[in-house]
Amino acid sequence: MHDANEALIVIDVQNDFCPGGALAVEGGDKIVPLINEMLPDFHVKVFTQDWHPAAHSSFASSHDGKEPYQTTEMPYGTQVLWPDHCIQGSIGAKFHDNLHRDRADLIIRKGFRPEIDSYSAFFENDQTTPTGLEGYLRTRGVEKLTLVGLATDFCVAYSAVDGRRLGFDITVLEEACRGIDLDGSLDAARRAMRDAGVHVVA
Ligand code: VGL
Ligand code: ZN
């Protein structure tokens, strides 16, 4: 059992990020048994769920002439455009069937504002709009986080770097993560995490 001040944060283990999903991450489903095994060892267990309205601004289909994986400029910076995914209430937005979702203390949804994407579990992509997770963790006395889930180079990495910015001790367990790796994004994410003082563990 881990200490009472440690939390497991399970990032976006949803059907659309698993094989067969709209934004499938290779081997995304392979991490589910590992995460299930880890869950009972943590006092505090938080799951995140990517949760977009239809026609979300992060979808390529919402931008004339754009294809998935191209980028566009948003008021808050450059945004990758994705295939439609994790639409609120859809099967793709559900957690993977085998994930022990009933173990979650808290499910935090993100990306529900039409005009802004949210990779991080802490802040939306403007880096200032909070999701509320920080307050939840602090009021439960949490200081250390272990991050697992999908995708390593987007939601996991952004959450890890933001967590460091907020002063949490952060470990990313890569064995229980899988990445998208868009144009070297996996290496860049590993570098950004290490530079931020995240413990990146194989
Ligand atoms: C994610 C791209 C778009 C993720 C979510 O969970 O890493 N990536 N939405
Ligand atoms: Zn998304």
Side-chain angles (χ1 to χ4, degrees):
M1 197 74 188
H2 290 274
D3 292 338
N5 69 343
E6 298 188 29
L8 181 66
I9 314 288
V10 179
I11 306 281
D12 298 0
V13 182
Q14 294 166 258
N15 290 327
D16 271 341
F17 298 121
C18 290
L23 180 34
V25 181
E26 207 183 314
D29 54 336
K30 297 280 197 291
I31 65 175
V32 172
L34 290 173
I35 294 170
N36 286 341
E37 235 174 83
M38 296 173 69
L39 282 165
D41 290 337
F42 285 85
H43 287 277
V44 180
K45 302 172 267 285
V46 176
F47 290 18
T48 69
Q49 197 170 22
D50 210 36
W51 197 249
H52 299 306
H56 190 257
S57 59
S58 75
F59 297 167
S61 62
S62 301
H63 301 262
D64 279 340
K66 291 287 191 180
E67 297 293 330
Y69 308 108
Q70 293 179 336
T71 59
T72 193
E73 292 310 313
M74 298 287 212
Y76 54 83
T78 303
Q79 169 73 46
V80 178
L81 295 170
W82 304 104
D84 292 21
H85 66 279
C86 295
I87 293 174
Q88 296 171 355
S90 68
I91 291 179
K94 285 189 171 16
F95 292 115
H96 187 283
D97 267 344
N98 297 340
L99 183 69
H100 293 170
R101 76 201 70 199
D102 292 347
R103 294 267 188 187
D105 297 341
L106 173 76
I107 295 170
I108 191 135
R109 289 173 168 166
K110 60 185 180 60
F112 49 75
R113 288 186 178 79
E115 69 287 357
I116 180 166
D117 204 5
S118 186
Y119 294 148
S120 162
F122 291 104
F123 295 104
E124 303 199 11
N125 285 9
D126 61 1
Q127 306 210 28
T128 53
T129 306
T131 63
L133 179 60
E134 179 194 5
Y136 179 84
L137 294 173
R138 291 214 196 281
T139 50
R140 289 199 63 188
V142 172
E143 293 167 327
K144 297 177 74 170
L145 311 178
T146 297
L147 268 54
V148 295
L150 307 169
T152 320
D153 39 350
F154 288 91
C155 291
V156 174
Y158 277 71
S159 299
V161 170
D162 280 350
R164 286 295 303 144
R165 183 151 68 92
L166 294 170
F168 292 100
D169 181 286
I170 309 272
T171 299
V172 168
L173 200 62
E174 280 215 79
E175 185 189 19
C177 298
R178 290 293 185 280
I180 296 172
D181 205 11
L182 205 62
D183 295 327
S185 59
L186 198 50
D187 279 341
R190 284 193 187 111
R191 211 172 313 121
M193 288 193 282
R194 292 217 167 90
D195 287 351
V198 175
H199 310 290
V200 183
V201 176

